[in-house]
Amino acid sequence: MSSRGLIALMGRPLPISFFDRDTRIVARELLGCIIVRDEVQVRVVETEAYFPGDSANHAFKGKTPRNAPMWGPPGCLYVYLCYGIHTLLNLVTEASGRPAAVLIRAGEVVAGHDAVSRRRGGRLDLIGPGKVGQALAMDTGWSGRPIGDGLSVVRGPAPAAIRAAPRVGIDAADPADVAALWRYISQD
DNA sequence: GCCAGGATCGTCT
DNA sequence: GACGATCCTGGCG
């Protein structure tokens, strides 16, 4: 796409077709996009890709009530509780029947600083997926809802560069999946 | 600044 | 009944 075309799309909600692609591509292109929830806006600066056949994927061992949204249509939310405390926000990708999602690992508050500060005990840093979930006031009740229903994602400025790195905190059966560079970090 | 340990609960075996 | 795609605090140097 031309840079003029990208600028024209800036600020517009991402279409469902954006998510109906290879998860690693979606994970990279989500960097710089803005997650909007009421008055709070968070720019995505770090993502991780989880896709079919990936042993670190929650869905790798099969479908359960918890991970069912990953099998659903692209452009939905998959929210789950981690360590009994943190709600982690994922965006479902790829066609129905292919369990895949992008985990939002980190962000920057671009609007709604007061609300985020209240929820985060005065802190505004969103380095870590649990913090992103807290800033956006996510809970598991959001899991399975389509994007646009209370939470939307709009196109924002793409980062100057993207760094790829191994994913964090996973204990996959397959060491190749652990070492794979499926985490993407915005380099501004 | 670094590291160890505790928090806390839904989900799956 | 164990454990997890984590975060925060407190102790120590």
Side-chain angles (χ1 to χ4, degrees):
Chain A
M1 197 186 296
S2 69
S3 62
R4 178 188 283 280
L6 277 174
I7 289 167
L9 288 170
M10 195 114 45
R12 304 181 76 90
L14 297 175
I16 297 300
S17 58
F18 177 90
F19 299 95
D20 188 9
R21 296 182 296 163
D22 183 284
T23 304
R24 286 160 288 192
I25 295 173
V26 177
R28 295 175 70 96
E29 295 194 7
L30 273 173
L31 296 177
C33 290
I34 314 287
I35 300 174
V36 181
R37 157 95 161 100
D38 298 329
E39 77 274 32
V40 174
Q41 297 185 16
V42 172
R43 189 165 106 93
V44 177
V45 299
E46 188 174 336
T47 58
E48 282 180 3
Y50 293 89
F51 50 90
D54 164 18
S55 61
N57 188 336
H58 277 174
F60 185 66
K61 292 178 183 170
K63 197 172 186 176
T64 66
R66 179 176 70 151
N67 65 28
M70 294 185 80
W71 266 266
C76 288
L77 308 181
Y78 169 45
V79 179
Y80 72 95
L81 187 65
C82 187
Y83 293 100
I85 305 172
H86 308 289
T87 48
L88 273 53
L89 171 64
N90 300 253
L91 304 178
V92 175
T93 57
E94 308 203 17
S96 293
R98 290 177 57 77
V102 173
L103 169 68
I104 308 300
R105 269 203 73 82
E108 290 171 355
V109 181
V110 295
H113 296 77
D114 290 348
V116 173
S117 180
R118 271 197 307 277
R119 292 166 183 165
R120 299 260 315 113
R123 297 163 186 259
L124 288 173
D125 65 298
L126 300 183
I127 310 298
K131 299 177 185 176
V132 174
Q134 188 179 22
L136 294 168
M138 289 290 98
D139 62 62
T140 54
W142 287 78
S143 200
R145 287 171 69 165
I147 290 171
D149 180 17
L151 180 146
S152 57
V153 185
V154 303
R155 224 177 269 271
I162 296 172
R163 184 162 68 89
R167 293 170 296 180
V168 175
I170 61 173
D171 184 25
D174 185 344
D177 289 339
V178 177
L181 305 180
W182 293 329
R183 177 160 62 107
Y184 303 102
I185 307 158
S186 217
Q187 306 281 288
D188 286 314

